[in-house]
Amino acid sequence: MRRDLAISSMALWLNAVMGRCPQGIQPASSRGSVSRFYMNPARHTPHEARALRVDFPATGHQNGVSLGQPASLCLYFEPWSAVELTWTPVKHLERVLWWLRETARETLHRSDEPLERLHFVSPYQIVLPADFRHHVAAPDECLGLVATSRRDNSKVLRGFFQPRTAAKTAGNDLGLDTLVVKVPPMVSVRIERDPDSLGELHDQLARYGSTFLEPLIGSTGTALPASGLPLYNTGCRNTLLVIQVPVAPDIHSAPTRVDVLGFIVRGSTLAQLGVACGAYIDGKDGNAYRDVLVNPGGNDGTATHVVESWRALRIEPVDVRIAFSVPDARRASGLSAEDSEFEGVLAGVGALGSCLAELWCRQGWGHWTYIDDDTLFAHNLVRHAGEDEHIGWAKVDAVRDVAMRVRPRECPPLALLAKVNDSMNAPVAQALGMAALLVDATTTLEVPRDLSTSESVPRSVSAFLTPSGRASVTLLEDAERSIRLDSLEAQYYRAILNSGWGDDHLTGHLGSYYVGAGCRDLSGVLSQDVVHLHGATLARQIRLLSSGSAAQIRIWTLDEQNGGLTADIVPVERSHACRQGNWSVVWDEGLEKKLHALRTGLLPRETGGIVLGTIDQKRRSVYLVDVLPEPPDSTGSETAFVRGAASTSESVERAAALTANIVGYVGEWHSHPAHASSVPSTTDNGLLSYLAESLAADWVPAVMVIAGERDISISLRQAEET
């Protein structure tokens, strides 16, 4: 604990209490006083505490003051607009005592708080590229500047790197030369007032263990081209110094960060600065050249003159910021690099896909390839991330351009104008082969089913909004792809048919409107706020869920009255498939559990009912979605079962209505008695032939499922096509 500050606390208390007044506290000056309070309404914080001791120690959290002025204590973390709501003279005094106490204990600077900067922030700002530290060492590049606002009072300039030969191209010459200087590490102690000259800046750095002259000479010499630099009439009037300063917490520790300071050297070009600091010599031909004999130590008369010359150069501070890099974006978004460094494919960059792309780009999550074969038309701007200038572009190019505006230099996404399920497209195949995750936002049926049958695609997730926009859905494969999107789709439909939220999940929409002359030029009615609401939820959930290995089915439903989202998690069951002739049949263990439960509930007699599912003629696949209990007019015994017909038509129509006409009748199921297997009997085979003949007119196969004591059997038959 610092004894000098601890003793000061009691003296300050006695001195201040005796001089309290309602307009601010102004104790009478005395030899023993350590602080004085000032009230100045013109300041950002009108009530200020100054230390009267000439030898008041240098500490952190002090305000900047002019040379010779008493130290000013930085008392509040919050802005005055927040402090003044509860400020009183007594609280102000208590705050001063708290500052002295915490500083004496060396606990005022929190362990998680960044080290103090050398100077306060200037109102004028220069923003450097995110990859500044990478390009700053390139000998063939230099830093250029461009204004960011069309207004004359703009206080922000953008920095960019360009070839040295292009440094003075028309349109970006703002009357500034630029020079980057890296100085030795300094120890963070307190914030200094802004220096008025290069000499004062050098002295400040020297006080904290660094230096400036030698790095300035070295950097100036490196920036000089072999042909020299003109000393006059160059169009430049000033030089921007960008100074990299490694900062350490103490002399025994390594630097924990690198600050970037900025100063404009007034009335001095780079050539003139080089001559002033001794790095260049005046060639007497209007140019400056490198002085290979210069002695930076200043041991001879010439060097002393040079030192005095550069020290007097006037400078003005500017705040130098570095644009957010991908690691910065991840840190600000709460993402870890471990979960964010992967190759991904985003298929479908329409309304939802472009929303996902932009969110993940800003967060720095993944390195993406966008795949879509569609064009951005005028009506798409209602819900798409693209802008007016992108009309007529391929959607992948428009979304890539949006991403490049956010991250202009880092990890540019790849844009492929193609269908993601085009197995003959080499670039698509290459992108899928390199990816760890494929996000399907195409909102189609065929793409996730095609992806499910391919062994050359990564773990996949399908995300979509329902037609009304009231709900959004995520279907995520497990990490091993043992449960694929087509099986998840079937399980999702079963959840719709058996859950309360499913009654209006896929029904209803807000209408449509024509956007062209053709009968197919229709677009749905859906507002952008709904797309963003669900898009943000899906973007976050896909990011979080994909970090685990389990398969997932998630549904989020919007309550239009209160704006809340209700989440429903559907348990995912293991998937199974078998070949039946030219067809494959896909089902899951959830269906098996339901079959066994229905069978067990009516033992010892047999039972049965209809099987609901979907038929994919392109893939020659049947997906078993659900089985229904026996109709009320059914009859059964220990050795036979006859299904009734009551309510079966209504059940099939309901399934079609709730699933947008996707799920329908695909066959029959029945149980075998206790201790019997599920092997079809002769009677069962006859029934299957009858079903196949009945469905032949629709060119679809018939399925028969039998539930035995411990297992189930699935049989498929298709009548001869005529």
Side-chain angles (χ1 to χ4, degrees):
M1 181 172 180
R2 298 187 62 161
R3 185 173 180 275
D4 53 350
L5 286 173
I7 295 174
S8 297
S9 298
M10 182 58 70
L12 175 62
W13 172 265
L14 295 174
N15 187 276
V17 168
M18 296 179 63
R20 185 182 306 169
C21 67
Q23 293 299 319
I25 306 174
Q26 283 221 329
S29 176
S30 69
R31 181 178 179 83
S33 66
V34 297
S35 184
R36 178 181 296 276
F37 296 88
Y38 295 90
M39 181 177 179
N40 184 355
R43 293 178 58 87
H44 292 297
T45 303
H47 304 286
E48 184 182 9
R50 293 286 190 98
L52 298 185
R53 284 175 42 190
V54 176
D55 61 343
F56 194 83
T59 68
H61 296 279
Q62 294 186 24
N63 298 313
V65 296
S66 301
L67 285 177
Q69 289 287 317
S72 174
L73 312 188
C74 180
L75 300 176
Y76 301 102
F77 299 107
E78 306 86 355
W80 172 247
S81 59
V83 173
E84 69 175 331
L85 299 177
T86 58
W87 189 94
T88 66
V90 172
K91 286 184 177 181
H92 189 63
L93 176 59
E94 291 173 347
R95 189 70 175 183
V96 174
L97 296 177
W98 168 84
W99 188 99
L100 290 167
R101 181 175 63 254
E102 295 301 311
T103 301
R105 293 173 176 171
E106 298 183 351
T107 56
L108 179 62
H109 197 89
R110 301 190 302 267
S111 59
D112 62 341
E113 189 177 355
L115 298 175
E116 296 271 33
R117 291 168 53 97
L118 182 60
H119 303 114
F120 289 96
V121 177
S122 166
Y124 299 95
Q125 187 177 117
I126 291 175
V127 181
L128 300 178
D131 55 356
F132 163 77
R133 291 186 176 90
H134 171 73
H135 285 271
V136 71
D140 57 342
E141 292 185 317
C142 66
L143 183 67
L145 297 172
V146 63
T148 60
S149 174
R150 297 178 181 177
R151 297 181 180 273
D152 294 336
N153 63 346
S154 172
K155 296 181 179 180
V156 179
L157 299 177
R158 286 300 304 266
F160 62 96
F161 284 93
Q162 60 184 353
R164 290 192 180 275
T165 56
K168 296 303 173 190
T169 56
N172 63 32
D173 183 1
L174 299 176
L176 284 173
D177 277 331
T178 55
L179 180 66
V180 179
V181 180
K182 184 173 183 178
V183 301
M186 60 161 279
V187 175
S188 172
V189 178
R190 67 176 179 182
I191 300 179
E192 292 275 358
R193 74 176 189 88
D194 292 328
D196 295 322
S197 66
L198 284 181
E200 191 176 340
L201 171 62
H202 178 275
D203 295 342
Q204 288 179 348
L205 289 169
R207 279 200 296 273
Y208 299 117
S210 185
T211 186
F212 179 63
L213 176 59
E214 290 81 3
L216 173 66
I217 293 175
S219 298
T220 307
T222 302
L224 183 68
S227 59
L229 282 176
L231 279 166
Y232 309 103
N233 301 322
T234 63
C236 286
R237 299 173 297 279
N238 311 290
T239 298
L240 168 66
L241 286 179
V242 178
I243 306 174
Q244 294 178 285
V245 186
V247 182
D250 54 67
I251 59 174
H252 305 293
S253 302
T256 58
R257 72 162 189 260
V258 177
D259 285 345
V260 181
L261 312 180
F263 296 93
I264 294 177
V265 185
R266 288 293 185 185
S268 179
T269 66
L270 178 58
Q272 294 164 347
L273 174 61
V275 171
C277 71
Y280 304 165
I281 59 174
D282 186 347
K284 306 304 181 181
D285 59 354
N287 291 328
Y289 301 94
R290 180 179 298 184
D291 186 356
V292 296
L293 301 178
V294 68
N295 178 11
N299 294 325
D300 55 44
T302 303
T304 302
H305 173 73
V306 170
V307 168
E308 293 301 323
S309 177
W310 72 265
R311 287 185 64 90
L313 293 178
R314 311 300 293 176
I315 58 175
E316 181 177 323
V318 292
D319 183 30
V320 177
R321 305 286 179 94
I322 298 179
F324 254 34
S325 63
V326 169
D328 293 330
R330 291 170 181 166
R331 186 164 51 252
S333 302
L335 276 62
S336 69
E338 180 182 2
D339 293 332
S340 302
E341 280 291 335
F342 66 92
E343 295 294 327
V345 170
L346 175 57
V349 287
L352 176 60
S354 65
C355 178
L356 298 177
E358 185 174 2
L359 287 170
W360 289 333
C361 173
R362 293 186 182 279
Q363 295 171 341
W365 188 62
H367 306 288
W368 294 93
T369 296
Y370 305 144
I371 302 179
D372 198 313
D373 66 337
D374 201 6
T375 301
L376 188 72
F377 294 109
H379 69 277
N380 295 134
L381 297 189
V382 176
R383 294 183 291 269
H384 199 273
E387 301 175 357
D388 182 77
E389 66 182 86
H390 296 130
I391 293 175
W393 288 31
K395 286 182 178 178
V396 286
D397 293 333
V399 175
R400 183 181 188 275
D401 189 61
V402 171
M404 290 295 292
R405 293 174 187 235
V406 177
R407 302 269 178 267
R409 282 178 169 264
E410 295 182 286
C411 305
L414 179 65
L416 298 180
L417 182 63
K419 291 181 179 293
V420 71
N421 53 346
D422 182 359
S423 59
M424 304 303 293
N425 188 303
V428 169
Q430 182 180 10
L432 293 177
M434 296 176 58
L437 181 68
L438 190 160
V439 179
D440 164 43
T442 60
T443 66
T444 64
L445 288 176
E446 67 273 11
V447 167
R449 293 182 185 178
D450 281 346
L451 298 176
S452 297
T453 60
S454 175
E455 300 299 329
S456 59
V457 302
R459 183 186 190 186
S460 301
V461 54
S462 185
F464 56 90
L465 275 60
T466 60
S468 66
R470 288 195 297 269
S472 55
V473 181
T474 288
L475 310 177
L476 172 66
E477 296 178 342
D478 63 305
E480 301 299 323
R481 298 198 73 209
S482 62
I483 308 174
R484 300 197 177 181
L485 290 180
D486 54 356
S487 177
L488 294 172
E489 179 190 350
Q491 296 184 50
Y492 160 63
Y493 293 143
R494 184 166 66 247
I496 291 176
L497 298 179
N498 293 279
S499 303
W501 53 263
D503 290 342
D504 60 354
H505 177 68
L506 290 179
T507 60
H509 55 80
L510 301 180
S512 59
Y513 61 97
Y514 282 96
V515 296
C519 62
R520 297 180 180 176
D521 291 337
L522 281 171
S523 183
V525 175
L526 192 65
S527 65
Q528 174 74 326
D529 52 11
V530 170
V531 174
H532 274 218
L533 172 69
H534 288 295
T537 299
L538 292 171
R540 178 174 177 80
Q541 291 298 313
I542 290 172
R543 177 169 58 80
L544 296 176
L545 295 176
S546 63
S547 65
S549 60
Q552 301 282 346
I553 300 176
R554 301 275 179 112
I555 295 94
W556 295 272
T557 305
L558 172 65
D559 187 325
E560 294 283 5
Q561 298 301 317
N562 60 32
L565 285 177
T566 301
D568 289 283
I569 303 175
V570 177
V572 177
E573 304 286 351
R574 288 184 59 189
S575 177
H576 299 285
C578 68
R579 293 294 300 180
Q580 296 279 336
N582 295 326
W583 289 81
S584 65
V585 181
V586 180
W587 74 98
D588 63 86
E589 293 184 357
L591 188 79
E592 293 183 8
K593 293 175 183 177
K594 187 170 184 180
L595 281 167
H596 288 302
L598 291 173
R599 173 185 177 275
T600 302
L602 289 175
L603 284 175
R605 73 176 182 85
E606 294 185 8
T607 184
I610 64 174
V611 180
L612 298 174
T614 65
I615 298 177
D616 191 321
Q617 293 283 359
K618 175 185 174 183
R619 296 162 192 81
R620 308 292 279 182
S621 298
V622 179
Y623 299 95
L624 305 186
V625 171
D626 202 7
V627 291
L628 300 185
E630 65 179 44
D633 57 340
S634 303
T635 59
S637 67
E638 294 184 15
T639 58
F641 172 74
V642 178
R643 177 180 65 78
S647 73
T648 54
S649 296
E650 292 83 353
S651 297
V652 173
E653 291 172 358
R654 174 181 180 273
L658 296 186
T659 60
N661 294 313
I662 295 173
V663 174
Y665 174 88
V666 295
E668 301 283 335
W669 77 273
H670 67 276
S671 67
H672 279 181
H675 312 300
S677 73
S678 62
V679 176
S681 65
T682 302
T683 303
D684 295 334
N685 285 322
L687 173 61
L688 182 58
S689 296
Y690 170 76
L691 291 174
E693 291 292 338
S694 301
L695 298 176
D698 295 328
W699 286 33
V700 295
V703 175
M704 183 173 66
V705 182
I706 301 175
E709 182 74 19
R710 294 184 178 85
D711 59 355
I712 69 169
S713 68
I714 296 176
S715 303
L716 179 146
R717 188 168 300 170
Q718 184 171 23
E720 293 294 330
E721 299 176 356
T722 59

